[in-house]
Amino acid sequence: MLTAVLVRAVATFNLIAEGTPEGPVAAHLWSLPGGPLSVTAVSLRELRRMRTRHGVVLRG
């Protein structure tokens, strides 16, 4: 979960400091959410695998 939070923070700071990348419109649209969404999806999948295969759960 920490990785998902950190990658979103880095993407936000990167957008503020450097702006969007040069290139086509599709690159502009996917530059900010693309990385954080893929990292979040992988971390959620791994959390689910830990819960189903090993019985490990996160508690608040």
Side-chain angles (χ1 to χ4, degrees):
M1 291 304 294
L2 180 62
T3 303
V5 172
L6 288 176
V7 78
R8 288 176 184 273
V10 168
T12 303
F13 290 137
N14 203 13
L15 178 67
I16 292 169
E18 299 176 15
T20 57
E22 295 183 18
V25 176
H28 290 278
L29 294 176
W30 286 104
S31 65
L32 182 62
L37 285 177
S38 63
V39 170
T40 303
V42 170
S43 67
L44 290 175
R45 182 174 181 264
E46 290 299 320
L47 285 172
R48 182 175 178 268
R49 286 184 63 181
M50 286 190 333
R51 185 182 71 238
T52 58
R53 292 185 181 198
H54 304 289
V56 176
V57 295
L58 296 178
R59 296 183 185 183

